[in-house]
Amino acid sequence: MWGDCNHWEKDGCEQQLTSISHCGMCHKECKLPHAISSCSLGMCMIEACDEGWSDCDGLPSNGCECPVAHQDASSRRSSVVSRSGTVLDHLHAIYDATGGPNWINQRGWSNASATDPCDPPFWGIICLGSAGGTLQKLDLRDNHLNGTIPSDIGLLVSLTFLGLSRNHLHGTIPDTVGDLPLLEELFLDANDLNGTIPEAICKLTSLLDLKIFENLLTGTIHSCLQQLTSLHTYHAWENFVTGELPPALGNMTSLRRINVRNNLLSGTIPHWLPSMPQLIEFNIGGNVLTGTIPTFMNTTTFPYLEQLIMYWNQLEGTLPPTLFGFPTMVNLRLSGNNFHGTFPEMVPMPNLREFEFAYCALNGTIPSSICTAPALRRVELRHLDLSGTIPDCFGTALNALEWVHADNNFFTGVIPPALYSIPSIQSVMLSDNLLSGNLTDSFNPGR
Protein backbone atom coordinates (compact mmCIF):
# COMPACT_ATOMS: atom_id res chain seq x y z
CA MET A 1 0.00 0.00 0.00
CA TRP A 2 1.75 3.14 -1.28
CA GLY A 3 0.77 6.74 -1.89
CA ASP A 4 1.98 9.87 -3.69
CA CYS A 5 2.30 12.03 -0.60
CA ASN A 6 4.66 14.68 -1.94
CA HIS A 7 2.72 15.15 -5.21
CA TRP A 8 5.94 14.86 -7.22
CA GLU A 9 5.40 12.74 -10.30
CA LYS A 10 9.06 11.91 -10.79
CA ASP A 11 9.29 9.66 -7.74
CA GLY A 12 5.88 8.04 -8.22
CA CYS A 13 4.12 6.70 -5.13
CA GLU A 14 7.01 7.15 -2.75
CA GLN A 15 5.37 6.71 0.65
CA GLN A 16 4.36 3.41 2.21
CA LEU A 17 0.96 3.90 3.88
CA THR A 18 1.53 1.57 6.82
CA SER A 19 3.14 3.90 9.36
CA ILE A 20 1.53 5.89 12.15
CA SER A 21 2.32 9.06 10.17
CA HIS A 22 0.69 7.80 6.96
CA CYS A 23 -1.87 5.17 7.92
CA GLY A 24 -3.97 4.07 4.95
CA MET A 25 -3.66 7.49 3.30
CA CYS A 26 -1.14 10.27 3.06
CA HIS A 27 -0.65 12.34 6.24
CA LYS A 28 -3.25 10.40 8.22
CA GLU A 29 -1.52 10.34 11.59
CA CYS A 30 -2.44 7.86 14.30
CA LYS A 31 -2.79 9.79 17.57
CA LEU A 32 -5.42 7.91 19.51
CA PRO A 33 -6.31 9.49 22.88
CA HIS A 34 -4.49 8.08 25.92
CA ALA A 35 -2.93 5.32 23.86
CA ILE A 36 0.18 4.11 22.11
CA SER A 37 -1.01 3.86 18.53
CA SER A 38 -0.11 1.53 15.68
CA CYS A 39 -1.23 1.17 12.07
CA SER A 40 -2.72 -2.07 10.79
CA LEU A 41 -4.40 -2.61 7.41
CA GLY A 42 -4.73 1.12 6.88
CA MET A 43 -6.48 1.68 10.22
CA CYS A 44 -5.22 3.23 13.46
CA MET A 45 -5.18 0.64 16.23
CA ILE A 46 -4.43 0.61 19.96
CA GLU A 47 -1.06 -0.92 20.78
CA ALA A 48 -1.40 -0.22 24.51
CA CYS A 49 -3.23 2.17 26.82
CA ASP A 50 -1.52 4.89 28.84
CA GLU A 51 -1.28 4.22 32.55
CA GLY A 52 -4.58 4.98 34.24
CA TRP A 53 -6.63 4.55 31.09
CA SER A 54 -8.45 1.63 29.50
CA ASP A 55 -10.31 0.77 26.30
CA CYS A 56 -13.79 -0.04 27.64
CA ASP A 57 -15.79 -0.14 24.41
CA GLY A 58 -13.27 -2.00 22.27
CA LEU A 59 -13.37 0.67 19.55
CA PRO A 60 -9.95 1.79 18.29
CA SER A 61 -11.34 5.06 16.92
CA ASN A 62 -11.75 6.77 20.31
CA GLY A 63 -8.61 5.37 21.90
CA CYS A 64 -8.49 4.45 25.58
CA GLU A 65 -11.50 6.41 26.74
CA CYS A 66 -12.05 5.11 30.29
CA PRO A 67 -10.15 6.32 33.36
CA VAL A 68 -9.30 3.15 35.30
CA ALA A 69 -10.25 4.82 38.60
CA HIS A 70 -13.84 5.18 37.36
CA GLN A 71 -14.27 1.51 36.45
CA ASP A 72 -15.72 -1.26 38.52
CA ALA A 73 -14.13 -4.68 38.49
CA SER A 74 -16.36 -6.09 35.73
CA SER A 75 -15.60 -3.13 33.44
CA ARG A 76 -11.88 -3.61 33.95
CA ARG A 77 -12.17 -7.27 33.05
CA SER A 78 -14.13 -6.53 29.86
CA SER A 79 -11.67 -3.85 28.80
CA VAL A 80 -8.80 -6.30 29.07
CA VAL A 81 -10.69 -8.73 26.84
CA SER A 82 -11.43 -6.01 24.28
CA ARG A 83 -7.85 -4.77 24.20
CA SER A 84 -6.22 -8.15 23.92
CA GLY A 85 -9.11 -9.86 22.07
CA THR A 86 -8.19 -11.83 18.99
CA VAL A 87 -10.16 -12.37 15.81
CA LEU A 88 -11.21 -15.66 17.35
CA ASP A 89 -12.67 -13.83 20.37
CA HIS A 90 -14.73 -11.57 18.13
CA LEU A 91 -15.96 -14.50 16.05
CA HIS A 92 -17.05 -16.28 19.22
CA ALA A 93 -18.99 -13.15 20.21
CA ILE A 94 -20.85 -13.28 16.88
CA TYR A 95 -21.53 -17.00 17.36
CA ASP A 96 -22.92 -16.44 20.85
CA ALA A 97 -25.08 -13.43 19.87
CA THR A 98 -26.72 -15.17 16.92
CA GLY A 99 -27.68 -18.55 18.39
CA GLY A 100 -24.62 -20.39 17.14
CA PRO A 101 -25.60 -23.84 18.51
CA ASN A 102 -28.70 -23.71 16.27
CA TRP A 103 -26.88 -22.74 13.07
CA ILE A 104 -27.30 -25.08 10.12
CA ASN A 105 -23.54 -25.21 9.55
CA GLN A 106 -21.20 -24.83 12.52
CA ARG A 107 -17.95 -26.37 11.30
CA GLY A 108 -15.16 -25.06 13.50
CA TRP A 109 -17.34 -22.57 15.36
CA SER A 110 -18.43 -25.01 18.07
CA ASN A 111 -14.95 -26.46 18.56
CA ALA A 112 -13.82 -25.13 21.94
CA SER A 113 -10.24 -26.23 21.31
CA ALA A 114 -9.91 -24.35 17.97
CA THR A 115 -7.18 -21.71 18.05
CA ASP A 116 -7.10 -20.48 14.46
CA PRO A 117 -10.32 -19.80 12.47
CA CYS A 118 -8.30 -19.93 9.25
CA ASP A 119 -6.68 -23.36 9.76
CA PRO A 120 -8.77 -25.32 9.10
CA PRO A 121 -11.21 -22.57 8.10
CA PHE A 122 -14.46 -22.25 10.03
CA TRP A 123 -17.67 -22.55 8.04
CA GLY A 124 -18.27 -19.36 6.04
CA ILE A 125 -14.75 -18.01 6.50
CA ILE A 126 -12.23 -17.30 3.76
CA CYS A 127 -8.74 -16.22 4.74
CA LEU A 128 -5.72 -14.92 2.90
CA GLY A 129 -3.26 -17.66 3.73
CA SER A 130 -3.95 -20.67 5.92
CA ALA A 131 -2.39 -20.92 9.38
CA GLY A 132 -2.30 -17.45 10.92
CA GLY A 133 -3.94 -16.04 7.78
CA THR A 134 -5.87 -12.80 7.44
CA LEU A 135 -9.66 -13.04 7.66
CA GLN A 136 -11.10 -11.62 4.43
CA LYS A 137 -14.64 -12.95 4.03
CA LEU A 138 -17.34 -13.86 6.52
CA ASP A 139 -20.26 -15.44 4.67
CA LEU A 140 -23.02 -16.75 6.97
CA ARG A 141 -25.93 -16.33 4.60
CA ASP A 142 -28.81 -18.83 4.84
CA ASN A 143 -27.42 -20.32 8.05
CA HIS A 144 -30.30 -19.82 10.52
CA LEU A 145 -28.65 -17.08 12.54
CA ASN A 146 -31.11 -15.83 15.16
CA GLY A 147 -30.30 -12.88 17.37
CA THR A 148 -28.64 -9.49 17.03
CA ILE A 149 -25.49 -8.34 15.25
CA PRO A 150 -22.95 -7.66 18.03
CA SER A 151 -20.68 -4.62 18.06
CA ASP A 152 -17.70 -6.99 17.74
CA ILE A 153 -18.43 -7.12 14.03
CA GLY A 154 -16.57 -3.82 13.69
CA LEU A 155 -13.38 -5.32 15.12
CA LEU A 156 -12.89 -7.67 12.16
CA VAL A 157 -11.06 -4.87 10.40
CA SER A 158 -9.58 -6.98 7.60
CA LEU A 159 -12.97 -8.02 6.16
CA THR A 160 -13.67 -7.29 2.51
CA PHE A 161 -16.96 -9.26 2.44
CA LEU A 162 -19.68 -9.56 5.11
CA GLY A 163 -22.73 -11.64 4.27
CA LEU A 164 -25.51 -12.19 6.83
CA SER A 165 -28.44 -12.38 4.43
CA ARG A 166 -31.55 -14.53 4.73
CA ASN A 167 -31.35 -15.27 8.43
CA HIS A 168 -33.47 -14.27 11.44
CA LEU A 169 -31.46 -11.33 12.71
CA HIS A 170 -33.30 -8.56 14.52
CA GLY A 171 -32.40 -5.36 16.36
CA THR A 172 -30.47 -2.52 14.81
CA ILE A 173 -27.44 -2.44 12.53
CA PRO A 174 -24.58 -1.54 14.90
CA ASP A 175 -22.63 1.64 14.22
CA THR A 176 -19.43 -0.39 14.46
CA VAL A 177 -20.12 -1.80 11.01
CA GLY A 178 -18.63 1.49 9.83
CA ASP A 179 -15.26 0.51 11.34
CA LEU A 180 -14.46 -1.94 8.51
CA PRO A 181 -12.19 0.13 6.24
CA LEU A 182 -11.62 -2.56 3.61
CA LEU A 183 -15.21 -3.77 3.27
CA GLU A 184 -16.37 -4.01 -0.35
CA GLU A 185 -19.59 -6.00 -0.05
CA LEU A 186 -22.15 -5.72 2.77
CA PHE A 187 -25.15 -8.04 2.55
CA LEU A 188 -27.69 -7.78 5.40
CA ASP A 189 -30.83 -8.40 3.35
CA ALA A 190 -33.84 -10.59 4.18
CA ASN A 191 -33.72 -10.34 7.97
CA ASP A 192 -35.84 -8.50 10.54
CA LEU A 193 -33.43 -5.65 11.23
CA ASN A 194 -35.09 -2.46 12.43
CA GLY A 195 -34.23 1.10 13.37
CA THR A 196 -32.65 3.60 11.02
CA ILE A 197 -29.90 2.93 8.54
CA PRO A 198 -26.79 4.02 10.51
CA GLU A 199 -24.83 6.95 9.12
CA ALA A 200 -21.71 4.98 10.06
CA ILE A 201 -22.17 3.07 6.81
CA CYS A 202 -21.01 6.24 5.07
CA LYS A 203 -17.50 5.56 6.43
CA LEU A 204 -17.17 2.42 4.31
CA THR A 205 -15.33 4.19 1.51
CA SER A 206 -14.23 0.92 -0.12
CA LEU A 207 -17.82 -0.34 -0.42
CA LEU A 208 -18.98 -1.53 -3.84
CA ASP A 209 -22.24 -3.34 -3.10
CA LEU A 210 -24.78 -2.57 -0.33
CA LYS A 211 -27.82 -4.82 0.08
CA ILE A 212 -30.15 -4.11 3.01
CA PHE A 213 -33.48 -4.98 1.40
CA GLU A 214 -36.37 -6.91 2.96
CA ASN A 215 -35.94 -5.68 6.52
CA LEU A 216 -37.89 -3.33 8.80
CA LEU A 217 -35.61 -0.32 8.45
CA THR A 218 -36.97 3.21 8.89
CA GLY A 219 -35.71 6.77 8.60
CA THR A 220 -34.43 8.46 5.47
CA ILE A 221 -31.69 7.87 2.91
CA HIS A 222 -28.59 9.68 4.17
CA SER A 223 -26.96 12.34 2.01
CA CYS A 224 -23.58 11.18 3.31
CA LEU A 225 -23.85 8.15 1.02
CA GLN A 226 -22.14 10.36 -1.54
CA GLN A 227 -18.91 9.62 0.38
CA LEU A 228 -19.11 6.06 -0.98
CA THR A 229 -17.48 7.01 -4.25
CA SER A 230 -16.95 3.40 -5.35
CA LEU A 231 -20.48 2.13 -4.62
CA HIS A 232 -22.16 0.64 -7.69
CA THR A 233 -25.21 -1.13 -6.19
CA TYR A 234 -27.68 0.23 -3.61
CA HIS A 235 -30.52 -2.20 -2.94
CA ALA A 236 -32.81 -1.20 -0.07
CA TRP A 237 -36.23 -2.34 -1.22
CA GLU A 238 -39.10 -3.48 1.01
CA ASN A 239 -38.38 -1.44 4.11
CA PHE A 240 -40.15 1.57 5.63
CA VAL A 241 -37.82 4.32 4.47
CA THR A 242 -39.41 7.77 4.11
CA GLY A 243 -38.51 11.15 2.62
CA GLU A 244 -37.14 11.90 -0.82
CA LEU A 245 -34.17 10.58 -2.73
CA PRO A 246 -31.47 13.06 -1.64
CA PRO A 247 -29.76 15.15 -4.33
CA ALA A 248 -26.40 14.01 -2.97
CA LEU A 249 -26.96 10.67 -4.71
CA GLY A 250 -26.47 12.52 -7.96
CA ASN A 251 -22.80 12.95 -7.06
CA MET A 252 -22.23 9.18 -6.97
CA THR A 253 -20.67 8.67 -10.38
CA SER A 254 -20.06 4.94 -9.82
CA LEU A 255 -23.60 4.09 -8.71
CA ARG A 256 -25.26 2.02 -11.43
CA ARG A 257 -28.11 0.25 -9.66
CA ILE A 258 -30.69 1.91 -7.39
CA ASN A 259 -33.56 -0.23 -6.14
CA VAL A 260 -35.70 1.27 -3.37
CA ARG A 261 -39.06 -0.19 -4.36
CA ASN A 262 -41.81 -0.78 -1.81
CA ASN A 263 -40.85 1.84 0.74
CA LEU A 264 -42.61 5.08 1.69
CA LEU A 265 -40.60 7.49 -0.44
CA SER A 266 -42.25 10.68 -1.67
CA GLY A 267 -41.50 13.65 -3.90
CA THR A 268 -41.10 13.61 -7.67
CA ILE A 269 -38.74 11.86 -10.06
CA PRO A 270 -35.49 13.60 -9.05
CA HIS A 271 -34.44 16.53 -11.22
CA TRP A 272 -30.79 15.63 -10.58
CA LEU A 273 -31.13 12.14 -12.10
CA PRO A 274 -29.48 13.15 -15.43
CA SER A 275 -26.21 13.54 -13.52
CA MET A 276 -26.12 9.71 -13.35
CA PRO A 277 -25.87 8.64 -17.01
CA GLN A 278 -24.22 5.41 -15.89
CA LEU A 279 -27.50 4.04 -14.45
CA ILE A 280 -28.47 0.49 -15.42
CA GLU A 281 -31.31 0.02 -12.92
CA PHE A 282 -33.68 2.61 -11.48
CA ASN A 283 -36.47 1.01 -9.46
CA ILE A 284 -38.75 3.25 -7.37
CA GLY A 285 -41.91 1.15 -7.66
CA GLY A 286 -44.38 0.89 -4.81
CA ASN A 287 -43.77 4.30 -3.24
CA VAL A 288 -45.80 7.53 -3.22
CA LEU A 289 -44.02 9.63 -5.84
CA THR A 290 -46.06 12.22 -7.70
CA GLY A 291 -45.70 14.41 -10.78
CA THR A 292 -45.06 13.53 -14.40
CA ILE A 293 -42.34 11.58 -16.18
CA PRO A 294 -39.76 14.16 -17.28
CA THR A 295 -38.52 14.17 -20.86
CA PHE A 296 -34.96 13.61 -19.65
CA MET A 297 -35.95 9.94 -19.31
CA ASN A 298 -34.47 9.10 -22.69
CA THR A 299 -31.74 6.96 -24.15
CA THR A 300 -29.46 9.95 -24.78
CA THR A 301 -29.38 10.77 -21.08
CA PHE A 302 -29.27 7.14 -19.95
CA PRO A 303 -27.57 5.10 -22.68
CA TYR A 304 -27.15 2.00 -20.48
CA LEU A 305 -30.55 1.86 -18.77
CA GLU A 306 -32.02 -1.65 -18.68
CA GLN A 307 -34.58 -1.51 -15.87
CA LEU A 308 -36.99 1.38 -15.40
CA ILE A 309 -39.55 0.36 -12.79
CA MET A 310 -41.96 2.94 -11.37
CA TYR A 311 -45.16 0.95 -10.82
CA TRP A 312 -47.75 1.76 -8.14
CA ASN A 313 -46.92 5.36 -7.39
CA GLN A 314 -49.07 8.43 -8.02
CA LEU A 315 -47.43 9.56 -11.24
CA GLU A 316 -49.64 11.26 -13.79
CA GLY A 317 -49.77 12.87 -17.21
CA THR A 318 -49.14 11.35 -20.62
CA LEU A 319 -46.39 8.93 -21.55
CA PRO A 320 -43.52 10.81 -23.22
CA PRO A 321 -42.39 9.27 -26.55
CA THR A 322 -38.81 9.24 -25.25
CA LEU A 323 -39.84 6.53 -22.77
CA PHE A 324 -40.23 4.09 -25.66
CA GLY A 325 -36.87 4.79 -27.28
CA PHE A 326 -34.46 2.71 -25.18
CA PRO A 327 -32.80 -0.03 -27.27
CA THR A 328 -31.10 -1.24 -24.07
CA MET A 329 -34.33 -1.64 -22.06
CA VAL A 330 -35.13 -5.03 -20.50
CA ASN A 331 -37.87 -4.25 -17.96
CA LEU A 332 -40.29 -1.34 -18.44
CA ARG A 333 -42.89 -1.50 -15.67
CA LEU A 334 -45.18 1.46 -14.87
CA SER A 335 -48.51 -0.11 -13.87
CA GLY A 336 -50.75 1.40 -11.21
CA ASN A 337 -50.28 5.12 -11.86
CA ASN A 338 -52.58 7.89 -13.10
CA PHE A 339 -51.38 8.07 -16.70
CA HIS A 340 -53.78 9.01 -19.49
CA GLY A 341 -53.59 9.36 -23.24
CA THR A 342 -52.29 6.83 -25.75
CA PHE A 343 -49.16 4.71 -26.22
CA PRO A 344 -46.50 6.35 -28.40
CA GLU A 345 -44.86 4.20 -31.04
CA MET A 346 -41.73 2.34 -29.95
CA VAL A 347 -38.27 2.14 -31.45
CA PRO A 348 -37.00 -1.44 -31.79
CA MET A 349 -36.29 -2.82 -28.31
CA PRO A 350 -34.54 -6.13 -28.99
CA ASN A 351 -33.90 -6.87 -25.30
CA LEU A 352 -37.29 -5.89 -23.84
CA ARG A 353 -38.75 -8.71 -21.71
CA GLU A 354 -41.38 -7.03 -19.52
CA PHE A 355 -43.88 -4.41 -20.74
CA GLU A 356 -46.30 -3.45 -17.96
CA PHE A 357 -48.75 -0.53 -17.95
CA ALA A 358 -51.83 -2.03 -16.24
CA TYR A 359 -54.35 -0.19 -14.04
CA CYS A 360 -54.04 3.27 -15.59
CA ALA A 361 -56.41 5.40 -17.72
CA LEU A 362 -54.57 4.82 -21.01
CA ASN A 363 -56.65 4.48 -24.18
CA GLY A 364 -56.11 3.99 -27.88
CA THR A 365 -54.58 0.84 -29.33
CA ILE A 366 -51.58 -1.38 -28.66
CA PRO A 367 -48.84 0.21 -30.82
CA SER A 368 -47.94 -2.00 -33.78
CA SER A 369 -44.28 -1.29 -33.05
CA ILE A 370 -44.52 -3.62 -30.05
CA CYS A 371 -43.81 -6.29 -32.67
CA THR A 372 -40.19 -5.03 -32.80
CA ALA A 373 -39.56 -6.44 -29.31
CA PRO A 374 -38.98 -10.15 -30.07
CA ALA A 375 -37.66 -10.99 -26.58
CA LEU A 376 -40.93 -10.03 -24.84
CA ARG A 377 -41.93 -12.44 -22.08
CA ARG A 378 -44.63 -10.56 -20.17
CA VAL A 379 -47.24 -8.11 -21.41
CA GLU A 380 -49.42 -6.56 -18.68
CA LEU A 381 -52.16 -4.27 -20.06
CA ARG A 382 -55.01 -5.08 -17.67
CA HIS A 383 -57.79 -2.68 -16.68
CA LEU A 384 -57.10 0.04 -19.26
CA ASP A 385 -59.35 1.59 -21.91
CA LEU A 386 -57.60 0.07 -24.91
CA SER A 387 -59.50 -0.80 -28.09
CA GLY A 388 -58.75 -2.14 -31.55
CA THR A 389 -57.37 -5.60 -32.16
CA ILE A 390 -54.63 -7.62 -30.55
CA PRO A 391 -51.69 -7.45 -32.99
CA ASP A 392 -51.20 -10.56 -35.13
CA CYS A 393 -47.51 -10.64 -34.15
CA PHE A 394 -48.52 -12.09 -30.75
CA GLY A 395 -47.27 -15.60 -31.40
CA THR A 396 -45.32 -14.94 -34.61
CA ALA A 397 -42.75 -12.17 -34.16
CA LEU A 398 -43.41 -12.32 -30.42
CA ASN A 399 -42.87 -16.06 -30.00
CA ALA A 400 -41.25 -16.08 -26.55
CA LEU A 401 -44.31 -14.82 -24.65
CA GLU A 402 -45.09 -16.33 -21.25
CA TRP A 403 -47.80 -14.00 -19.92
CA VAL A 404 -50.34 -11.96 -21.88
CA HIS A 405 -52.70 -10.18 -19.48
CA ALA A 406 -55.02 -7.71 -21.24
CA ASP A 407 -58.40 -8.30 -19.62
CA ASN A 408 -60.92 -5.51 -18.87
CA ASN A 409 -60.39 -3.47 -22.02
CA PHE A 410 -62.41 -2.97 -25.22
CA PHE A 411 -60.51 -5.16 -27.67
CA THR A 412 -62.42 -6.45 -30.69
CA GLY A 413 -61.74 -9.04 -33.38
CA VAL A 414 -60.29 -12.48 -32.84
CA ILE A 415 -57.43 -13.73 -30.71
CA PRO A 416 -54.35 -14.24 -32.93
CA PRO A 417 -54.28 -17.99 -33.67
CA ALA A 418 -50.51 -18.23 -33.32
CA LEU A 419 -50.79 -17.18 -29.66
CA TYR A 420 -52.21 -20.60 -28.90
CA SER A 421 -49.12 -22.47 -30.04
CA ILE A 422 -46.30 -20.61 -28.29
CA PRO A 423 -44.37 -23.30 -26.35
CA SER A 424 -43.47 -20.90 -23.53
CA ILE A 425 -46.98 -19.53 -22.89
CA GLN A 426 -48.14 -19.94 -19.29
CA SER A 427 -50.95 -17.47 -18.68
CA VAL A 428 -53.38 -15.66 -20.99
CA MET A 429 -56.05 -13.34 -19.55
CA LEU A 430 -58.32 -11.71 -22.12
CA SER A 431 -61.69 -11.73 -20.36
CA ASP A 432 -64.04 -8.73 -20.26
CA ASN A 433 -63.30 -7.52 -23.77
CA LEU A 434 -65.36 -7.54 -26.99
CA LEU A 435 -63.45 -10.36 -28.66
CA SER A 436 -65.19 -12.80 -31.02
CA GLY A 437 -64.51 -16.17 -32.61
CA ASN A 438 -63.86 -19.60 -31.15
CA LEU A 439 -61.03 -20.70 -28.91
CA THR A 440 -58.99 -23.32 -30.70
CA ASP A 441 -58.88 -26.82 -29.26
CA SER A 442 -55.10 -26.78 -29.57
CA PHE A 443 -54.70 -24.07 -26.95
CA ASN A 444 -52.67 -25.74 -24.22
CA PRO A 445 -50.65 -23.29 -22.07
CA GLY A 446 -47.32 -24.60 -20.94
CA ARG A 447 -47.41 -27.76 -23.02
Side-chain angles (χ1 to χ4, degrees):
M1 186 183 296
W2 296 80
D4 178 20
C5 296
N6 62 6
H7 304 294
W8 190 38
E9 62 181 18
K10 291 186 178 180
D11 61 358
C13 297
E14 83 293 342
Q15 180 62 57
Q16 196 166 5
L17 304 179
T18 55
S19 69
I20 60 172
S21 299
H22 305 275
C23 186
M25 63 179 65
C26 292
H27 311 299
K28 177 186 174 183
E29 190 172 1
C30 293
K31 278 189 173 182
L32 300 176
H34 310 296
I36 298 173
S37 305
S38 63
C39 179
S40 176
L41 297 171
M43 186 174 181
C44 295
M45 305 296 290
I46 298 171
E47 186 74 20
C49 288
D50 294 343
E51 185 175 354
W53 293 87
S54 183
D55 177 22
C56 295
D57 58 10
L59 300 177
S61 58
N62 61 355
C64 300
E65 80 288 354
C66 281
V68 172
H70 294 166
Q71 291 180 278
D72 58 24
S74 62
S75 297
R76 286 197 293 274
R77 283 195 296 271
S78 75
S79 71
V80 171
V81 172
S82 296
R83 227 176 30 248
S84 61
T86 63
V87 167
L88 186 60
D89 294 326
H90 306 317
L91 292 175
H92 281 161
I94 295 169
Y95 181 78
D96 292 339
T98 57
N102 296 314
W103 289 4
I104 296 173
N105 295 293
Q106 306 173 34
R107 188 190 68 217
W109 293 84
S110 56
N111 183 359
S113 62
T115 59
D116 187 347
C118 295
D119 186 31
F122 287 10
W123 176 267
I125 281 180
I126 296 178
C127 297
L128 181 63
S130 53
T134 301
L135 176 62
Q136 283 195 315
K137 296 186 177 183
L138 179 59
D139 188 356
L140 297 174
R141 292 176 290 181
D142 299 292
N143 203 35
H144 207 275
L145 277 65
N146 193 337
T148 59
I149 304 174
S151 60
D152 290 68
I153 203 76
L155 298 172
L156 303 175
V157 294
S158 57
L159 282 181
T160 61
F161 177 96
L162 176 58
L164 302 176
S165 308
R166 298 181 295 278
N167 284 294
H168 304 285
L169 298 171
H170 53 87
T172 59
I173 302 172
D175 286 339
T176 53
V177 77
D179 295 330
L180 303 173
L182 306 180
L183 198 65
E184 296 178 351
E185 296 173 282
L186 177 59
F187 298 162
L188 303 177
D189 52 278
N191 283 288
D192 295 311
L193 298 169
N194 56 40
T196 59
I197 303 168
E199 287 194 51
I201 284 179
C202 298
K203 298 193 297 181
L204 301 175
T205 53
S206 298
L207 202 62
L208 303 174
D209 196 342
L210 176 59
K211 294 180 178 175
I212 51 176
F213 57 86
E214 292 180 3
N215 279 291
L216 305 171
L217 300 171
T218 57
T220 59
I221 299 174
H222 299 302
S223 294
C224 64
L225 283 176
Q226 66 180 319
Q227 297 168 206
L228 307 183
T229 54
S230 298
L231 191 71
H232 60 66
T233 299
Y234 181 73
H235 283 175
W237 72 75
E238 292 190 22
N239 282 288
F240 297 92
V241 177
T242 57
E244 300 185 13
L245 292 171
L249 294 185
N251 299 325
M252 302 176 69
T253 55
S254 295
L255 191 58
R256 307 195 73 182
R257 297 185 180 275
I258 299 175
N259 190 331
V260 289
R261 72 174 189 262
N262 297 345
N263 277 282
L264 300 170
L265 296 169
S266 57
T268 59
I269 297 174
H271 64 85
W272 44 262
L273 207 59
S275 65
M276 307 183 76
Q278 73 280 2
L279 277 180
I280 294 175
E281 174 188 11
F282 185 62
N283 189 335
I284 55 172
N287 285 286
V288 286
L289 273 72
T290 57
T292 60
I293 298 177
T295 56
F296 63 62
M297 296 303 303
N298 61 65
T299 190
T300 302
T301 307
F302 302 103
Y304 309 105
L305 194 62
E306 296 178 359
Q307 297 189 49
L308 180 59
I309 301 174
M310 300 190 290
Y311 58 69
W312 295 106
N313 278 281
Q314 297 173 16
L315 300 173
E316 59 186 7
T318 58
L319 299 174
T322 55
L323 197 62
F324 299 86
F326 287 91
T328 56
M329 190 65 69
V330 175
N331 297 328
L332 186 59
R333 303 175 61 189
L334 285 85
S335 296
N337 283 288
N338 300 319
F339 302 127
H340 63 269
T342 61
F343 280 105
E345 290 294 329
M346 300 163 51
V347 302
M349 293 188 178
N351 303 309
L352 188 64
R353 289 172 176 256
E354 296 186 353
F355 183 82
E356 299 185 11
F357 288 86
Y359 297 98
C360 299
L362 295 167
N363 55 42
T365 61
I366 299 176
S368 59
S369 51
I370 197 172
C371 300
T372 63
L376 262 181
R377 300 292 190 271
R378 296 192 177 194
V379 176
E380 286 277 357
L381 298 173
R382 308 180 66 191
H383 290 264
L384 302 173
D385 292 320
L386 298 178
S387 57
T389 60
I390 297 173
D392 288 336
C393 65
F394 278 53
T396 54
L398 305 184
N399 58 11
L401 289 169
E402 296 173 359
W403 287 27
V404 178
H405 292 175
D407 56 286
N408 287 277
N409 282 285
F410 299 94
F411 292 120
T412 56
V414 298
I415 301 172
L419 182 61
Y420 305 147
S421 58
I422 301 175
S424 57
I425 200 72
Q426 297 174 19
S427 178
V428 176
M429 298 178 66
L430 297 172
S431 61
D432 294 290
N433 279 289
L434 301 173
L435 297 164
S436 58
N438 297 317
L439 288 175
T440 177
D441 293 335
S442 64
F443 182 46
N444 185 11
R447 64 180 178 177

